[in-house]
Amino acid sequence: MINRVSEQKMHLVRWVLVIGWLILIISLFYDPISYHLSDPNNLYSPFRDRIISLAKLPAQCVKVQGECLAETPYPMGTRFFWGMIVPSAIAIVFVFGHETWRRICPLYFLSQIPRGLGIQPKLSIDKNRWLVGNHLYVQFALLFIGLNCRILFINSARLVFGCFLLLTIFSAITVVFLYGGRSWCHYVCPFGMVQMVFTGPRGLLDSEAHKAPPRSITQSMCRTVDSTGQEKSACINCKSACLDIDAEKSYWEHLTKPGRKLVQYGYLGLVSGYFMYYYLYAGNFNYYFSGAWTHEENQLANVLKPGFYLFDRSIAIPKLVAVPLTFALFVGICCLIGSKSEKALFSYWRRRNPKIEREQVLHRVFSVCTFIAFNAFFVYGGRPEILRLPWVVQQIFNALIILVSTVWLYRTWGRSSQQYNKEGLAHKLRRQLKKLSLDFSRLAEGRSLDELNADELYVLATALPNATLQNHCRVYKGILQEALVENLFEPSVSKDALQQLREKLQLGEEEHDRILGEILQEKPDLSYPIASYSSKFSLAKTKLKSDRSAIESTQHNHLHQALTQIKSTKKRTTSSLQDTNTPTRIRRIKNK
């Protein structure tokens, strides 16, 4: 698993990838070399330009709206990026999990320059409540804008594309400079949304963070290396239910979050709209599969020309309007189909299984969307390069894509939040049982605790040999404390979260309240989840300032009233002394 690779080695890998990416960006501005590789007369180059025809017939040229494109040798920076790097990134996320991509992502590495320079974040991300609550909409909007810009301005316009990449790097550094941590990855980066879609509850080879020991450095969690060479956490709690700490926990907690459906259904619409537009624009699929769009001359000059070509006729809608119109139409259609399918399947499965929850149905619909999006992407994404390979290699690649996506769907289909929580608690139960000086081999038929699954561990816990109430309480306390430390739930809901385990251990609610009180007395910091500590501290600090202002205001009012009363009394006393010679009245005024 990639999370077991040392940070020092991954640091070296990131440096190699960053250097390669910077070389690619430089080549977009100046490249006197790579155009030799695309020369059709260079028979020794595997990248020499050839016309790809889906009809398997000799193709004389690539036609766009009925006219042949002029093909000349060209620098290959854009072709490398769109045809090889982007598909590779999608495949890495889907197969090896988000944790692999997050640890090697060159943009993430560059965004951490402020942290590397020792610059502390200027703001707390918790204070930007709008961004925290609406980041999925922000990321989707940026992806929508980015895909429009690809087709309109940057697919083959190398200078514009180079400036676009530099602007992206500068934006990532700025966001991290302001908010620290992985605020760019979690709240702004459009590819972070893509990772959410293709990872699902877990990638095909993702590690299982919920089975790790307490306080472990899991998955792609922020980490650093101290002076002794030991890795330690560098997390600043910039994200609650962080994807980098536990991807599956993040998935289940954000499954019903506002904007989540738009991300899942809308992304499928963006993928469909993006690839279909090339046909709607050129009037054929050869334009896309040839890869001519990666080096098309005068891309910017076509922005105001007709954007659709259907039935051998151009439609007088400017490309500048046609592109976003196509994306919006496909996004709307996919969102509508997804929502209707979700409701229909919920009604169908509810009749067959009355206990099924809407969350489970939503999860399965999302999984199907990911399956379709992955296969649809690799039908088109990277296909211009794949079609240059021998026919046998192409078929092997196609079969591999179907096999990988089918295995992922099979592993994901029956997954549920209940199963995730049960597995996490089972591993905590295993650790607590190991602390008891009891012989489990007779009940486990000679197997060790590590060989038992979650259900077998629960059964074993109810039939402990020579077990006492004290043993059960000790096991329960250890599990509850671990869960609170890992921020699986808040103390206020822990009673409901561990009800099934409590029943297995034959413990009542009174024992839970007593054990929870002991834990919170021993570790008061567990009263609030770690991820929300900073926000709670900010609220408390604000309230303290407000209370202090109120107290000072009250004291000022009281003091002002007292001084007014003293001045009034002094005036009446002086006036009385001047107006009367009665000794009795003088004595009364002096006493007053």
Side-chain angles (χ1 to χ4, degrees):
M1 298 300 178
I2 194 70
N3 68 310
R4 298 179 183 175
V5 181
S6 69
E7 180 64 9
Q8 292 177 330
K9 292 181 179 179
M10 296 307 300
H11 194 73
L12 179 61
V13 171
R14 288 193 292 268
W15 263 115
V16 172
L17 293 176
V18 164
I19 292 173
W21 195 31
L22 293 177
I23 292 175
L24 175 66
I25 293 175
I26 293 173
S27 74
L28 296 175
F29 296 97
Y30 178 71
D31 182 6
I33 300 175
S34 67
Y35 75 92
H36 293 290
L37 299 176
S38 63
D39 190 344
N41 299 319
N42 185 358
L43 301 180
Y44 297 100
S45 172
F47 304 109
R48 68 182 184 275
D49 209 13
R50 293 177 294 166
I51 305 301
I52 306 297
S53 174
L54 293 181
K56 299 181 180 180
L57 297 174
Q60 299 301 321
C61 67
V62 176
K63 289 188 176 182
V64 177
Q65 298 191 357
E67 298 182 2
C68 288
L69 282 180
E71 296 268 2
T72 57
Y74 53 88
M76 296 190 60
T78 53
R79 177 177 161 185
F80 280 137
F81 189 86
W82 300 125
M84 303 177 193
I85 296 176
V86 172
S88 298
I90 297 293
I92 289 173
V93 171
F94 189 81
V95 177
F96 297 100
H98 85 285
E99 61 185 88
T100 301
W101 177 254
R102 285 288 178 92
R103 295 197 69 189
I104 67 174
C105 176
L107 183 56
Y108 155 72
F109 188 47
L110 291 174
S111 73
Q112 297 300 304
I113 288 178
R115 191 184 82 173
L117 296 176
I119 301 175
Q120 296 299 317
K122 304 302 179 183
L123 302 171
S124 171
I125 191 65
D126 291 333
K127 293 183 179 180
N128 194 337
R129 295 184 180 180
W130 184 89
L131 180 59
V132 172
N134 298 281
H135 69 90
L136 292 180
Y137 296 108
V138 172
Q139 290 172 291
F140 184 85
L142 290 175
L143 183 62
F144 183 91
I145 295 171
L147 290 177
N148 279 275
C149 290
R150 270 194 64 176
I151 295 178
L152 292 171
F153 308 116
I154 64 178
N155 260 345
S156 58
R158 294 166 51 246
L159 294 178
V160 178
F161 184 37
C163 294
F164 177 82
L165 291 179
L166 292 176
L167 177 63
T168 302
I169 294 172
F170 176 77
S171 300
I173 294 173
T174 302
V175 171
V176 175
F177 172 78
L178 293 175
Y179 296 111
R182 285 184 173 166
S183 49
W184 165 262
C185 304
H186 290 309
Y187 298 105
V188 183
C189 180
F191 194 68
M193 185 204 83
V194 178
Q195 292 176 59
M196 181 182 294
V197 172
F198 283 115
T199 299
R202 54 185 178 176
L204 196 60
L205 300 178
D206 248 339
S207 60
E208 298 176 308
H210 64 295
K211 297 181 180 180
R215 301 186 184 279
S216 299
I217 299 178
T218 57
Q219 295 188 341
S220 52
M221 184 177 180
C222 293
R223 65 195 78 188
T224 186
V225 181
D226 59 20
S227 57
T228 63
Q230 297 294 320
E231 292 186 10
K232 61 180 183 179
S233 171
C235 178
I236 65 168
N237 303 315
C238 63
K239 175 72 171 176
S240 177
C242 178
L243 182 71
D244 294 304
I245 297 176
D246 190 341
E248 187 165 4
K249 178 184 177 182
S250 175
Y251 174 81
W252 294 116
E253 290 203 9
H254 295 147
L255 187 64
T256 57
K257 183 177 180 178
R260 187 64 179 85
K261 292 183 181 181
L262 175 64
V263 166
Q264 199 75 29
Y265 304 146
Y267 179 76
L268 184 58
L270 290 176
V271 171
S272 305
Y274 177 81
F275 293 124
M276 281 301 300
Y277 180 75
Y278 287 95
Y279 175 82
L280 298 175
Y281 171 67
N284 60 77
F285 281 113
N286 282 343
Y287 171 59
Y288 176 79
F289 286 108
S290 68
W293 49 273
T294 63
H295 52 273
E296 184 179 1
E297 294 183 359
N298 301 322
Q299 179 185 8
L300 300 179
N302 298 326
V303 170
L304 297 179
K305 292 182 179 180
F308 293 119
Y309 187 79
L310 300 173
F311 308 109
D312 296 328
R313 295 183 61 181
S314 59
I315 299 176
I317 297 177
K319 190 178 181 181
L320 185 64
V321 177
V323 173
L325 184 63
T326 302
F327 277 120
L329 179 63
F330 275 87
V331 168
I333 291 174
C334 286
C335 287
L336 181 62
I337 294 175
S339 299
K340 295 294 184 182
S341 301
E342 176 194 333
K343 294 178 181 178
L345 290 173
F346 178 70
S347 300
Y348 171 75
W349 278 319
R350 194 65 180 266
R351 289 194 298 269
R352 301 185 64 183
N353 180 13
K355 296 183 179 180
I356 194 169
E357 298 180 0
R358 184 174 292 274
E359 177 191 74
Q360 188 66 17
V361 176
L362 186 62
H363 159 67
R364 291 181 179 180
V365 175
F366 279 9
S367 300
V368 172
C369 286
T370 299
F371 177 82
I372 295 174
F374 182 76
N375 284 276
F377 183 89
F378 280 98
V379 167
Y380 293 93
R383 189 60 53 172
E385 304 305 322
I386 296 171
L387 290 176
R388 300 174 189 276
L389 300 173
W391 183 85
V392 175
V393 178
Q394 293 181 36
Q395 302 310 310
I396 293 175
F397 179 83
N398 295 338
L400 185 62
I401 291 297
I402 296 174
L403 175 63
V404 166
S405 59
T406 303
V407 171
W408 179 89
L409 183 63
Y410 175 78
R411 293 180 70 244
T412 305
W413 185 259
R415 201 70 182 158
S416 66
S417 58
Q418 292 80 9
Q419 183 182 2
Y420 164 80
N421 292 328
K422 187 176 183 179
E423 289 178 355
L425 292 175
H427 278 265
K428 294 174 178 56
L429 177 60
R430 180 182 288 112
R431 287 192 290 269
Q432 298 304 319
L433 291 176
K434 288 180 178 180
K435 296 178 181 179
L436 301 178
S437 56
L438 299 174
D439 182 15
F440 301 101
S441 58
R442 290 188 297 106
L443 292 176
E445 299 178 350
R447 292 183 295 169
S448 66
L449 291 175
D450 293 327
E451 297 173 333
L452 302 180
N453 59 35
D455 293 325
E456 290 171 334
L457 283 170
Y458 279 115
V459 173
L460 179 63
T462 62
L464 292 177
N466 302 321
T468 63
L469 178 62
Q470 184 179 3
N471 294 135
H472 287 170
C473 290
R474 179 181 175 185
V475 170
Y476 186 78
K477 181 177 180 180
I479 294 174
L480 177 58
Q481 183 168 317
E482 281 191 25
L484 294 176
V485 168
E486 296 175 13
N487 192 21
L488 294 181
F489 42 71
E490 296 186 16
S492 59
V493 299
S494 60
K495 184 182 296 184
D496 295 332
L498 298 180
Q499 180 179 355
Q500 183 179 3
L501 175 64
R502 204 164 51 249
E503 291 174 355
K504 296 290 185 181
L505 296 176
Q506 301 176 358
L507 298 176
E509 295 184 358
E510 297 79 8
E511 281 82 4
H512 169 85
D513 294 335
R514 178 179 58 79
I515 293 172
L516 178 62
E518 292 177 0
I519 294 174
L520 297 182
Q521 187 175 4
E522 296 170 0
K523 297 186 176 182
D525 57 307
L526 297 181
S527 298
Y528 297 103
I530 296 175
S532 61
Y533 174 79
S534 59
S535 61
K536 292 180 181 293
F537 177 77
S538 299
L539 291 174
K541 189 175 180 181
T542 303
K543 187 177 185 303
L544 180 61
K545 290 181 178 179
S546 177
D547 292 345
R548 180 179 177 182
S549 299
I551 292 172
E552 290 178 350
S553 177
T554 303
Q555 290 177 341
H556 176 76
N557 292 336
H558 289 170
L559 181 59
H560 179 71
Q561 293 176 1
L563 290 174
T564 303
Q565 186 176 1
I566 291 172
K567 290 179 180 179
S568 176
T569 304
K570 182 178 180 182
K571 289 180 180 179
R572 291 198 304 270
T573 303
T574 305
S575 176
S576 299
L577 287 174
Q578 292 175 352
D579 296 342
T580 181
N581 292 322
T582 307
T584 303
R585 185 165 183 173
I586 293 174
R587 285 195 301 270
R588 188 185 300 117
I589 292 173
K590 287 183 176 180
N591 291 335
K592 188 175 182 180

